[in-house]
Amino acid sequence: MRRKIIALLVVSLGAVLVYSFAPASLTPQGRVVLAILFVAAALWLSEVLPLFITSFIIAFLLIVWGGFGTQQVFRPFFDPIIVLFLGGFILARAFSKYKLDQLISQRILRVVGRRTNVVMFALMGLSVTLSMWMSNTASAALLLPISTEILLASRVAKDDRLWKRFPLAVAYAATLGGLGTVIGSPPNALAQRFLQEGGVEVSFVDWMVYMLPLVVVLLPIILLVLTLLFRSEVETLEIHHRELPTLDLKAKVVAAVTVLSMLLWLTGEQTGLSSYVVALIPIIIFFTFDLLGEDDLKVLHWETLILFGGGITLGEAVSASGVDVFIADSLATLITGLAPLVLLMVTAFVGLIMTVVASNTGAAVLMMPIVMGLAGQLGLDPLPMVLVTTCGVSLDFILPVGTPPSALAYSTGQIRTDEMARAGLVLTVFVILVPALYAYWVF
C-alpha cells in the first residue's frame, strides 16, 4: 500500500509539472490532456494500479479537469469495437464450456503422424488457428498440457531440449495467431478503431488479408529458430489419443453458431452486416437458449473491455485537443529524412520496447493515436504504420511477462528466463524486419 501511495503521489506531481511546463502552442485543454496522457502512460506502464482502473481515472480526469462532456467521455466505453470483442469472448467461453476446443485438437493430432517436427508444427498450427478466434491465453492453456502429455507418453528424457522447445512453440504460436483476426488480440481491435477514426476503413476480411500472410511467414521462422536453438536427437514421438468428448445437442448448436458467425464475418461485404452486428448473434442465441448463463457472463474479461473504453476515450481526447498534432510535430522533427523502410522498422521497434515494459493492450492504447498523428504529419498512409505497430506491440517473445502465453510456457518449469530471452531476442529481429519489409513492399 505504501509503495502504491508513493507511486500515485509521484505520478500526480509529474502531471502537474507536465501541465505547468507544457508548450504555449497548446490550448489550455490540450495542456490538460497532455498531463492526463502522462498519467495514463505512467500508470499503464508501471501497472501500479489494475489497468482498467486507470481507464476510469482517465474518464474522471477528462470530465473534471479537462472539461469534456460526459457523453463524449463515456460513449467509447460501449463503442462498436467493444461489442465485437465481447462477441469474441462469448464465443471463446462457449467453445471452452462445451469442450469443442479439445475435440478439434484431438482430431487434428490423430492425423499428423509421429515425426517430432511435424507434430510440433501441427501443435503450432493448431495454436495459431485457435488464437485467431479465442484468446491466445486460452489457446496456450489448452495445448500446453497436450504437448506435455505427448512428451511424457513418448518417454522423452527430462533433460532433452524438446521439453523447452514444445512449450515455447505452442506459446509463441498462440501469440502470433492473435494477429490473424480483429478479435484475435486487443491491439488489433484498437488498431482497427483508430484507423476508422482516421478515415481508413478496414473490414474483418481486410484485416485477415493484411495479416495472415505475416502469420504464415513468421510461423515456420519460429519453428526453425526453436529447432536450431533447442536441438534434440528424438525424431519420432508416441501420441496416445484420449477419448474424444461426445457432442450433445447444445454443443452442436454452439458449433453451428460459431461457424455461422465466422461465415458472416468473412462475407460482410456481401451480406451488408458489419462485424459489430454479427458479434451480437452468438451473444443473443447463447443466452436466449440457456447455452450460457449468468455465471459464464461473470468470468468474461470485463477488465479488458473497460481498458479498451479508456484507451478509445483517451485517443479521442488527444485528437480533439490537438495533442496528437503536437506530438506528431515533435516526432517528425526527429525522424524527418528517414527512408520509409527504416521508419517502419523504427515504428515496430518502439512498439516492441513499449510492450516489454507494459501490457500489449496498454502499449497499443498509447501508440496508436501517436502513430496516426505521425503518419498524417509526414503525409504517409497510416495503414502500414499502424499494422507494423500492431505487430510490434503484440509479438513480445523475450520475457515471461511479455504475453500470457509466454508466462504459461514459463510456468511449466522447463524453461529458464535466459533461455526464453535468447530465443525471444533472435525472433525479435524477424518480428521487426519481416512486418516492416512486408508493409514496405505491399503498401
Side-chain angles (χ1 to χ4, degrees), residues 115-180:
R115 292 188 62 81
T116 300
N117 272 351
V118 175
V119 172
M120 190 172 91
F121 194 66
L123 284 169
M124 293 173 69
L126 183 56
S127 186
V128 161
T129 304
L130 290 177
S131 294
M132 289 168 57
W133 304 100
M134 59 195 293
S135 79
N136 53 24
T137 308
S139 172
L142 167 70
L143 293 175
L144 280 171
I146 293 176
S147 67
T148 301
E149 184 179 301
I150 290 172
L151 297 179
L152 285 171
S154 303
R155 299 184 180 180
V156 175
K158 281 295 182 182
D159 59 350
D160 192 279
R161 290 190 167 190
L162 284 184
W163 287 98
K164 304 179 188 298
R165 194 200 302 177
F166 266 56
L168 286 176
V170 168
Y172 288 170
T175 300
L176 176 63
L179 285 176

Short mmCIF file of all heavy atoms in Angstrom, two decimals, residues 115-180:
data_model
loop_
_atom_site.label_atom_id
_atom_site.label_comp_id
_atom_site.label_asym_id
_atom_site.label_seq_id
_atom_site.Cartn_x
_atom_site.Cartn_y
_atom_site.Cartn_z
N ARG A 115 6.44 -37.94 -36.53
CA ARG A 115 7.71 -37.23 -36.63
C ARG A 115 7.69 -35.98 -35.75
O ARG A 115 6.72 -35.23 -35.74
CB ARG A 115 8.02 -36.86 -38.08
CG ARG A 115 8.32 -38.08 -38.95
CD ARG A 115 8.80 -37.65 -40.33
NE ARG A 115 10.05 -36.88 -40.26
CZ ARG A 115 11.24 -37.43 -40.14
NH1 ARG A 115 11.38 -38.75 -40.07
NH2 ARG A 115 12.32 -36.67 -40.10
N THR A 116 8.76 -35.77 -35.02
CA THR A 116 8.81 -34.73 -34.00
C THR A 116 8.45 -33.35 -34.53
O THR A 116 7.57 -32.67 -34.00
CB THR A 116 10.22 -34.67 -33.36
OG1 THR A 116 10.50 -35.95 -32.77
CG2 THR A 116 10.28 -33.60 -32.29
N ASN A 117 9.12 -32.92 -35.60
CA ASN A 117 8.87 -31.58 -36.11
C ASN A 117 7.48 -31.44 -36.73
O ASN A 117 6.88 -30.36 -36.70
CB ASN A 117 9.94 -31.19 -37.13
CG ASN A 117 11.15 -30.55 -36.46
OD1 ASN A 117 11.12 -30.25 -35.27
ND2 ASN A 117 12.21 -30.35 -37.22
N VAL A 118 6.97 -32.53 -37.29
CA VAL A 118 5.62 -32.49 -37.85
C VAL A 118 4.59 -32.33 -36.74
O VAL A 118 3.65 -31.54 -36.85
CB VAL A 118 5.34 -33.76 -38.68
CG1 VAL A 118 3.88 -33.76 -39.16
CG2 VAL A 118 6.28 -33.84 -39.87
N VAL A 119 4.78 -33.09 -35.66
CA VAL A 119 3.86 -32.98 -34.51
C VAL A 119 3.93 -31.57 -33.92
O VAL A 119 2.90 -30.96 -33.62
CB VAL A 119 4.21 -34.03 -33.43
CG1 VAL A 119 3.39 -33.79 -32.17
CG2 VAL A 119 3.95 -35.44 -33.96
N MET A 120 5.15 -31.05 -33.78
CA MET A 120 5.30 -29.72 -33.21
C MET A 120 4.67 -28.67 -34.12
O MET A 120 3.99 -27.75 -33.65
CB MET A 120 6.77 -29.39 -32.97
CG MET A 120 6.98 -28.13 -32.16
SD MET A 120 8.70 -27.85 -31.67
CE MET A 120 9.28 -26.87 -33.04
N PHE A 121 4.87 -28.79 -35.42
CA PHE A 121 4.29 -27.82 -36.35
C PHE A 121 2.77 -27.91 -36.34
O PHE A 121 2.07 -26.89 -36.47
CB PHE A 121 4.83 -28.04 -37.76
CG PHE A 121 4.56 -26.89 -38.69
CD1 PHE A 121 5.16 -25.65 -38.47
CD2 PHE A 121 3.72 -27.04 -39.76
CE1 PHE A 121 4.91 -24.58 -39.32
CE2 PHE A 121 3.46 -25.97 -40.61
CZ PHE A 121 4.07 -24.75 -40.40
N ALA A 122 2.24 -29.14 -36.18
CA ALA A 122 0.79 -29.30 -36.09
C ALA A 122 0.24 -28.61 -34.84
O ALA A 122 -0.79 -27.93 -34.89
CB ALA A 122 0.42 -30.78 -36.07
N LEU A 123 0.95 -28.77 -33.71
CA LEU A 123 0.54 -28.07 -32.49
C LEU A 123 0.60 -26.56 -32.67
O LEU A 123 -0.28 -25.83 -32.22
CB LEU A 123 1.44 -28.49 -31.32
CG LEU A 123 1.19 -29.87 -30.70
CD1 LEU A 123 2.32 -30.23 -29.75
CD2 LEU A 123 -0.15 -29.89 -29.97
N MET A 124 1.64 -26.08 -33.35
CA MET A 124 1.76 -24.65 -33.60
C MET A 124 0.65 -24.15 -34.53
O MET A 124 0.05 -23.09 -34.27
CB MET A 124 3.13 -24.34 -34.21
CG MET A 124 4.31 -24.59 -33.28
SD MET A 124 5.91 -24.39 -34.12
CE MET A 124 5.92 -22.61 -34.40
N GLY A 125 0.39 -24.90 -35.58
CA GLY A 125 -0.69 -24.50 -36.49
C GLY A 125 -2.03 -24.48 -35.79
O GLY A 125 -2.86 -23.57 -36.01
N LEU A 126 -2.25 -25.47 -34.93
CA LEU A 126 -3.50 -25.52 -34.16
C LEU A 126 -3.58 -24.35 -33.19
O LEU A 126 -4.63 -23.72 -33.03
CB LEU A 126 -3.56 -26.85 -33.40
CG LEU A 126 -4.82 -27.15 -32.59
CD1 LEU A 126 -6.05 -27.07 -33.47
CD2 LEU A 126 -4.71 -28.52 -31.96
N SER A 127 -2.45 -24.03 -32.56
CA SER A 127 -2.40 -22.92 -31.63
C SER A 127 -2.70 -21.60 -32.34
O SER A 127 -3.46 -20.76 -31.83
CB SER A 127 -1.02 -22.87 -30.96
OG SER A 127 -0.97 -21.90 -29.95
N VAL A 128 -2.11 -21.43 -33.52
CA VAL A 128 -2.37 -20.22 -34.32
C VAL A 128 -3.85 -20.12 -34.67
O VAL A 128 -4.48 -19.07 -34.52
CB VAL A 128 -1.51 -20.23 -35.60
CG1 VAL A 128 -2.08 -19.27 -36.65
CG2 VAL A 128 -0.08 -19.84 -35.29
N THR A 129 -4.41 -21.22 -35.15
CA THR A 129 -5.81 -21.21 -35.60
C THR A 129 -6.77 -20.90 -34.46
O THR A 129 -7.69 -20.08 -34.61
CB THR A 129 -6.17 -22.57 -36.24
OG1 THR A 129 -5.25 -22.84 -37.29
CG2 THR A 129 -7.58 -22.55 -36.79
N LEU A 130 -6.57 -21.57 -33.33
CA LEU A 130 -7.45 -21.32 -32.19
C LEU A 130 -7.32 -19.88 -31.69
O LEU A 130 -8.32 -19.25 -31.33
CB LEU A 130 -7.13 -22.29 -31.05
CG LEU A 130 -7.51 -23.76 -31.28
CD1 LEU A 130 -7.05 -24.61 -30.10
CD2 LEU A 130 -9.02 -23.90 -31.47
N SER A 131 -6.10 -19.34 -31.70
CA SER A 131 -5.87 -17.99 -31.19
C SER A 131 -6.49 -16.92 -32.08
O SER A 131 -6.68 -15.79 -31.65
CB SER A 131 -4.37 -17.72 -31.05
OG SER A 131 -3.81 -18.54 -30.06
N MET A 132 -6.79 -17.27 -33.31
CA MET A 132 -7.47 -16.31 -34.18
C MET A 132 -8.91 -16.08 -33.76
O MET A 132 -9.49 -15.03 -34.07
CB MET A 132 -7.41 -16.81 -35.63
CG MET A 132 -6.03 -16.73 -36.26
SD MET A 132 -5.91 -17.64 -37.83
CE MET A 132 -7.20 -16.84 -38.78
N TRP A 133 -9.49 -17.06 -33.05
CA TRP A 133 -10.92 -16.97 -32.74
C TRP A 133 -11.21 -16.99 -31.24
O TRP A 133 -12.33 -16.70 -30.82
CB TRP A 133 -11.65 -18.14 -33.41
CG TRP A 133 -11.40 -18.17 -34.88
CD1 TRP A 133 -10.52 -18.97 -35.55
CD2 TRP A 133 -12.00 -17.32 -35.86
NE1 TRP A 133 -10.55 -18.68 -36.89
CE2 TRP A 133 -11.44 -17.68 -37.12
CE3 TRP A 133 -12.96 -16.30 -35.81
CZ2 TRP A 133 -11.82 -17.06 -38.30
CZ3 TRP A 133 -13.32 -15.67 -37.00
CH2 TRP A 133 -12.76 -16.06 -38.22
N MET A 134 -10.22 -17.34 -30.43
CA MET A 134 -10.37 -17.28 -28.98
C MET A 134 -9.11 -16.63 -28.42
O MET A 134 -8.18 -16.34 -29.16
CB MET A 134 -10.58 -18.68 -28.41
CG MET A 134 -9.45 -19.67 -28.70
SD MET A 134 -9.88 -21.40 -28.39
CE MET A 134 -10.07 -21.42 -26.62
N SER A 135 -9.09 -16.36 -27.13
CA SER A 135 -7.94 -15.67 -26.57
C SER A 135 -6.68 -16.54 -26.70
O SER A 135 -6.74 -17.77 -26.60
CB SER A 135 -8.18 -15.33 -25.10
OG SER A 135 -7.98 -16.44 -24.28
N ASN A 136 -5.54 -15.87 -26.93
CA ASN A 136 -4.30 -16.65 -27.04
C ASN A 136 -3.94 -17.32 -25.73
O ASN A 136 -3.29 -18.36 -25.70
CB ASN A 136 -3.15 -15.78 -27.56
CG ASN A 136 -2.94 -14.50 -26.77
OD1 ASN A 136 -3.33 -14.41 -25.61
ND2 ASN A 136 -2.32 -13.53 -27.40
N THR A 137 -4.41 -16.74 -24.62
CA THR A 137 -4.19 -17.36 -23.32
C THR A 137 -4.91 -18.70 -23.24
O THR A 137 -4.35 -19.71 -22.79
CB THR A 137 -4.69 -16.44 -22.18
OG1 THR A 137 -4.12 -15.14 -22.35
CG2 THR A 137 -4.32 -17.01 -20.82
N ALA A 138 -6.18 -18.71 -23.67
CA ALA A 138 -6.96 -19.95 -23.64
C ALA A 138 -6.38 -20.99 -24.58
O ALA A 138 -6.33 -22.18 -24.25
CB ALA A 138 -8.42 -19.65 -24.02
N SER A 139 -5.92 -20.56 -25.75
CA SER A 139 -5.31 -21.48 -26.70
C SER A 139 -4.07 -22.14 -26.11
O SER A 139 -3.90 -23.36 -26.18
CB SER A 139 -4.96 -20.73 -27.99
OG SER A 139 -4.22 -21.54 -28.86
N ALA A 140 -3.21 -21.32 -25.52
CA ALA A 140 -1.98 -21.87 -24.93
C ALA A 140 -2.30 -22.77 -23.74
O ALA A 140 -1.68 -23.83 -23.57
CB ALA A 140 -1.06 -20.72 -24.48
N ALA A 141 -3.27 -22.36 -22.92
CA ALA A 141 -3.65 -23.16 -21.75
C ALA A 141 -4.20 -24.52 -22.17
O ALA A 141 -4.01 -25.53 -21.47
CB ALA A 141 -4.69 -22.41 -20.91
N LEU A 142 -4.87 -24.58 -23.31
CA LEU A 142 -5.42 -25.85 -23.80
C LEU A 142 -4.32 -26.76 -24.34
O LEU A 142 -4.29 -27.96 -24.04
CB LEU A 142 -6.44 -25.56 -24.90
CG LEU A 142 -6.87 -26.78 -25.74
CD1 LEU A 142 -7.73 -27.72 -24.91
CD2 LEU A 142 -7.62 -26.32 -26.99
N LEU A 143 -3.39 -26.19 -25.13
CA LEU A 143 -2.44 -27.02 -25.87
C LEU A 143 -1.16 -27.33 -25.11
O LEU A 143 -0.49 -28.33 -25.42
CB LEU A 143 -2.10 -26.34 -27.19
CG LEU A 143 -3.26 -26.25 -28.19
CD1 LEU A 143 -2.87 -25.46 -29.42
CD2 LEU A 143 -3.73 -27.63 -28.60
N LEU A 144 -0.78 -26.53 -24.13
CA LEU A 144 0.43 -26.84 -23.37
C LEU A 144 0.34 -28.18 -22.65
O LEU A 144 1.29 -28.98 -22.70
CB LEU A 144 0.73 -25.71 -22.38
CG LEU A 144 1.43 -24.48 -22.98
CD1 LEU A 144 1.47 -23.33 -21.98
CD2 LEU A 144 2.83 -24.82 -23.46
N PRO A 145 -0.78 -28.49 -21.98
CA PRO A 145 -0.88 -29.83 -21.37
C PRO A 145 -0.82 -30.96 -22.40
O PRO A 145 -0.26 -32.03 -22.13
CB PRO A 145 -2.24 -29.80 -20.66
CG PRO A 145 -2.53 -28.36 -20.45
CD PRO A 145 -1.94 -27.66 -21.63
N ILE A 146 -1.40 -30.72 -23.59
CA ILE A 146 -1.36 -31.73 -24.63
C ILE A 146 0.08 -31.96 -25.10
O ILE A 146 0.52 -33.10 -25.29
CB ILE A 146 -2.25 -31.32 -25.82
CG1 ILE A 146 -3.72 -31.31 -25.39
CG2 ILE A 146 -2.05 -32.25 -27.01
CD1 ILE A 146 -4.67 -30.80 -26.46
N SER A 147 0.85 -30.87 -25.24
CA SER A 147 2.25 -31.01 -25.66
C SER A 147 3.06 -31.75 -24.60
O SER A 147 3.90 -32.60 -24.93
CB SER A 147 2.87 -29.64 -25.94
OG SER A 147 2.99 -28.88 -24.75
N THR A 148 2.79 -31.45 -23.34
CA THR A 148 3.48 -32.15 -22.25
C THR A 148 3.12 -33.62 -22.23
O THR A 148 3.98 -34.49 -22.02
CB THR A 148 3.12 -31.50 -20.90
OG1 THR A 148 3.50 -30.12 -20.93
CG2 THR A 148 3.83 -32.19 -19.75
N GLU A 149 1.85 -33.90 -22.45
CA GLU A 149 1.37 -35.28 -22.45
C GLU A 149 2.04 -36.10 -23.55
O GLU A 149 2.41 -37.26 -23.35
CB GLU A 149 -0.15 -35.28 -22.65
CG GLU A 149 -0.80 -36.65 -22.58
CD GLU A 149 -2.31 -36.56 -22.76
OE1 GLU A 149 -2.96 -35.88 -21.96
OE2 GLU A 149 -2.81 -37.16 -23.72
N ILE A 150 2.24 -35.47 -24.72
CA ILE A 150 2.90 -36.16 -25.84
C ILE A 150 4.33 -36.52 -25.47
O ILE A 150 4.80 -37.64 -25.72
CB ILE A 150 2.87 -35.27 -27.10
CG1 ILE A 150 1.45 -35.17 -27.63
CG2 ILE A 150 3.80 -35.83 -28.18
CD1 ILE A 150 1.29 -34.17 -28.76
N LEU A 151 5.04 -35.61 -24.83
CA LEU A 151 6.42 -35.87 -24.44
C LEU A 151 6.50 -36.94 -23.35
O LEU A 151 7.41 -37.79 -23.36
CB LEU A 151 7.09 -34.58 -23.96
CG LEU A 151 7.22 -33.47 -25.02
CD1 LEU A 151 7.87 -32.24 -24.41
CD2 LEU A 151 8.01 -33.96 -26.23
N LEU A 152 5.54 -36.90 -22.42
CA LEU A 152 5.52 -37.92 -21.36
C LEU A 152 5.23 -39.30 -21.94
O LEU A 152 5.89 -40.28 -21.60
CB LEU A 152 4.47 -37.56 -20.31
CG LEU A 152 4.83 -36.43 -19.34
CD1 LEU A 152 3.61 -36.06 -18.50
CD2 LEU A 152 5.98 -36.84 -18.44
N ALA A 153 4.23 -39.36 -22.83
CA ALA A 153 3.87 -40.65 -23.44
C ALA A 153 5.00 -41.21 -24.27
O ALA A 153 5.16 -42.43 -24.39
CB ALA A 153 2.61 -40.47 -24.29
N SER A 154 5.81 -40.33 -24.85
CA SER A 154 6.93 -40.77 -25.67
C SER A 154 8.18 -41.06 -24.84
O SER A 154 9.22 -41.41 -25.40
CB SER A 154 7.26 -39.69 -26.72
OG SER A 154 6.13 -39.40 -27.51
N ARG A 155 8.07 -40.86 -23.51
CA ARG A 155 9.17 -41.10 -22.59
C ARG A 155 10.44 -40.34 -22.99
O ARG A 155 11.56 -40.88 -22.96
CB ARG A 155 9.45 -42.60 -22.47
CG ARG A 155 8.25 -43.37 -21.93
CD ARG A 155 8.55 -44.83 -21.74
NE ARG A 155 7.38 -45.53 -21.21
CZ ARG A 155 7.33 -46.83 -20.93
NH1 ARG A 155 8.43 -47.58 -21.13
NH2 ARG A 155 6.24 -47.39 -20.46
N VAL A 156 10.24 -39.09 -23.36
CA VAL A 156 11.38 -38.23 -23.68
C VAL A 156 12.11 -37.89 -22.38
O VAL A 156 11.50 -37.53 -21.39
CB VAL A 156 10.89 -36.93 -24.37
CG1 VAL A 156 12.05 -35.98 -24.59
CG2 VAL A 156 10.20 -37.26 -25.68
N ALA A 157 13.41 -38.04 -22.41
CA ALA A 157 14.22 -37.79 -21.21
C ALA A 157 14.01 -36.37 -20.70
O ALA A 157 13.87 -35.43 -21.49
CB ALA A 157 15.70 -38.02 -21.52
N LYS A 158 13.99 -36.22 -19.38
CA LYS A 158 13.69 -34.93 -18.78
C LYS A 158 14.72 -33.85 -19.13
O LYS A 158 14.40 -32.66 -19.09
CB LYS A 158 13.60 -35.07 -17.25
CG LYS A 158 12.28 -35.65 -16.76
CD LYS A 158 11.14 -34.69 -17.06
CE LYS A 158 9.82 -35.23 -16.52
NZ LYS A 158 8.70 -34.32 -16.85
N ASP A 159 15.93 -34.27 -19.46
CA ASP A 159 16.94 -33.29 -19.80
C ASP A 159 17.00 -33.00 -21.31
O ASP A 159 17.84 -32.23 -21.77
CB ASP A 159 18.33 -33.74 -19.32
CG ASP A 159 18.75 -35.08 -19.93
OD1 ASP A 159 17.90 -35.73 -20.57
OD2 ASP A 159 19.92 -35.46 -19.76
N ASP A 160 16.09 -33.61 -22.07
CA ASP A 160 16.06 -33.37 -23.51
C ASP A 160 15.47 -31.98 -23.78
O ASP A 160 14.55 -31.52 -23.10
CB ASP A 160 15.21 -34.44 -24.21
CG ASP A 160 15.39 -34.40 -25.72
OD1 ASP A 160 14.76 -33.56 -26.38
OD2 ASP A 160 16.18 -35.20 -26.24
N ARG A 161 15.98 -31.33 -24.80
CA ARG A 161 15.57 -29.95 -25.08
C ARG A 161 14.18 -29.84 -25.70
O ARG A 161 13.67 -28.74 -25.88
CB ARG A 161 16.61 -29.29 -25.98
CG ARG A 161 17.92 -29.03 -25.27
CD ARG A 161 18.83 -28.17 -26.09
NE ARG A 161 19.96 -27.67 -25.30
CZ ARG A 161 20.80 -26.75 -25.72
NH1 ARG A 161 20.66 -26.23 -26.92
NH2 ARG A 161 21.78 -26.35 -24.95
N LEU A 162 13.57 -30.98 -26.04
CA LEU A 162 12.18 -30.92 -26.50
C LEU A 162 11.27 -30.37 -25.42
O LEU A 162 10.23 -29.76 -25.72
CB LEU A 162 11.69 -32.32 -26.92
CG LEU A 162 12.17 -32.87 -28.26
CD1 LEU A 162 11.50 -34.21 -28.54
CD2 LEU A 162 11.88 -31.88 -29.39
N TRP A 163 11.65 -30.56 -24.16
CA TRP A 163 10.84 -30.04 -23.05
C TRP A 163 10.85 -28.51 -23.04
O TRP A 163 9.96 -27.89 -22.43
CB TRP A 163 11.34 -30.59 -21.72
CG TRP A 163 11.00 -32.02 -21.52
CD1 TRP A 163 11.80 -33.09 -21.75
CD2 TRP A 163 9.75 -32.55 -21.07
NE1 TRP A 163 11.14 -34.27 -21.47
CE2 TRP A 163 9.87 -33.96 -21.05
CE3 TRP A 163 8.53 -31.99 -20.69
CZ2 TRP A 163 8.83 -34.79 -20.66
CZ3 TRP A 163 7.50 -32.81 -20.30
CH2 TRP A 163 7.65 -34.20 -20.29
N LYS A 164 11.82 -27.93 -23.67
CA LYS A 164 11.86 -26.46 -23.79
C LYS A 164 11.23 -26.02 -25.12
O LYS A 164 10.51 -25.03 -25.18
CB LYS A 164 13.31 -25.96 -23.72
CG LYS A 164 14.05 -26.40 -22.46
CD LYS A 164 15.48 -25.90 -22.46
CE LYS A 164 16.27 -26.50 -21.30
NZ LYS A 164 15.74 -26.12 -19.99
N ARG A 165 11.52 -26.79 -26.17
CA ARG A 165 11.06 -26.40 -27.50
C ARG A 165 9.53 -26.45 -27.63
O ARG A 165 8.92 -25.51 -28.17
CB ARG A 165 11.69 -27.31 -28.55
CG ARG A 165 11.54 -26.77 -29.97
CD ARG A 165 11.70 -27.86 -31.02
NE ARG A 165 12.99 -28.53 -30.95
CZ ARG A 165 13.31 -29.56 -31.74
NH1 ARG A 165 12.43 -30.01 -32.63
NH2 ARG A 165 14.49 -30.14 -31.62
N PHE A 166 8.91 -27.52 -27.13
CA PHE A 166 7.47 -27.68 -27.33
C PHE A 166 6.65 -26.59 -26.62
O PHE A 166 5.77 -25.98 -27.24
CB PHE A 166 7.04 -29.08 -26.89
CG PHE A 166 7.01 -30.07 -28.01
CD1 PHE A 166 8.14 -30.31 -28.79
CD2 PHE A 166 5.86 -30.78 -28.32
CE1 PHE A 166 8.13 -31.21 -29.83
CE2 PHE A 166 5.83 -31.69 -29.37
CZ PHE A 166 6.97 -31.91 -30.12
N PRO A 167 6.90 -26.32 -25.33
CA PRO A 167 6.10 -25.26 -24.68
C PRO A 167 6.30 -23.88 -25.33
O PRO A 167 5.34 -23.13 -25.50
CB PRO A 167 6.62 -25.25 -23.24
CG PRO A 167 7.19 -26.60 -23.03
CD PRO A 167 7.75 -27.01 -24.35
N LEU A 168 7.54 -23.56 -25.71
CA LEU A 168 7.78 -22.28 -26.36
C LEU A 168 7.10 -22.21 -27.72
O LEU A 168 6.56 -21.16 -28.11
CB LEU A 168 9.29 -22.03 -26.52
CG LEU A 168 10.05 -21.65 -25.24
CD1 LEU A 168 11.55 -21.54 -25.54
CD2 LEU A 168 9.53 -20.33 -24.67
N ALA A 169 7.11 -23.31 -28.45
CA ALA A 169 6.48 -23.35 -29.77
C ALA A 169 4.98 -23.08 -29.66
O ALA A 169 4.41 -22.27 -30.42
CB ALA A 169 6.73 -24.70 -30.44
N VAL A 170 4.33 -23.75 -28.72
CA VAL A 170 2.88 -23.57 -28.53
C VAL A 170 2.58 -22.14 -28.09
O VAL A 170 1.65 -21.49 -28.61
CB VAL A 170 2.35 -24.57 -27.48
CG1 VAL A 170 0.93 -24.21 -27.06
CG2 VAL A 170 2.39 -25.98 -28.04
N ALA A 171 3.37 -21.61 -27.15
CA ALA A 171 3.12 -20.27 -26.62
C ALA A 171 3.35 -19.20 -27.68
O ALA A 171 2.53 -18.29 -27.87
CB ALA A 171 4.03 -20.02 -25.41
N TYR A 172 4.48 -19.28 -28.38
CA TYR A 172 4.78 -18.27 -29.40
C TYR A 172 3.77 -18.33 -30.54
O TYR A 172 3.38 -17.29 -31.10
CB TYR A 172 6.19 -18.48 -29.95
CG TYR A 172 7.30 -18.11 -28.99
CD1 TYR A 172 8.62 -18.45 -29.27
CD2 TYR A 172 7.04 -17.42 -27.81
CE1 TYR A 172 9.66 -18.09 -28.40
CE2 TYR A 172 8.06 -17.08 -26.93
CZ TYR A 172 9.36 -17.43 -27.23
OH TYR A 172 10.38 -17.08 -26.38
N ALA A 173 3.34 -19.53 -30.91
CA ALA A 173 2.34 -19.65 -31.97
C ALA A 173 1.00 -19.06 -31.54
O ALA A 173 0.29 -18.44 -32.34
CB ALA A 173 2.17 -21.13 -32.37
N ALA A 174 0.65 -19.24 -30.26
CA ALA A 174 -0.59 -18.66 -29.75
C ALA A 174 -0.54 -17.14 -29.83
O ALA A 174 -1.52 -16.49 -30.22
CB ALA A 174 -0.84 -19.11 -28.31
N THR A 175 0.60 -16.56 -29.46
CA THR A 175 0.76 -15.12 -29.54
C THR A 175 0.68 -14.64 -30.99
O THR A 175 0.02 -13.65 -31.30
CB THR A 175 2.11 -14.70 -28.93
OG1 THR A 175 2.15 -15.10 -27.56
CG2 THR A 175 2.31 -13.20 -29.01
N LEU A 176 1.35 -15.35 -31.89
CA LEU A 176 1.34 -15.00 -33.31
C LEU A 176 -0.06 -15.10 -33.89
O LEU A 176 -0.50 -14.22 -34.65
CB LEU A 176 2.30 -15.91 -34.07
CG LEU A 176 2.36 -15.74 -35.59
CD1 LEU A 176 2.87 -14.36 -35.96
CD2 LEU A 176 3.24 -16.82 -36.22
N GLY A 177 -0.80 -16.15 -33.54
CA GLY A 177 -2.13 -16.35 -34.09
C GLY A 177 -3.09 -15.23 -33.76
O GLY A 177 -4.03 -14.96 -34.52
N GLY A 178 -2.85 -14.55 -32.64
CA GLY A 178 -3.71 -13.44 -32.27
C GLY A 178 -3.74 -12.32 -33.29
O GLY A 178 -4.67 -11.51 -33.31
N LEU A 179 -2.71 -12.26 -34.16
CA LEU A 179 -2.68 -11.21 -35.19
C LEU A 179 -3.67 -11.48 -36.32
O LEU A 179 -4.03 -10.56 -37.06
CB LEU A 179 -1.28 -11.12 -35.81
CG LEU A 179 -0.16 -10.45 -35.01
CD1 LEU A 179 1.15 -10.57 -35.78
CD2 LEU A 179 -0.48 -9.00 -34.73
N GLY A 180 -4.12 -12.72 -36.46
CA GLY A 180 -4.82 -13.14 -37.68
C GLY A 180 -6.18 -12.54 -37.90
O GLY A 180 -6.61 -12.38 -39.06
#
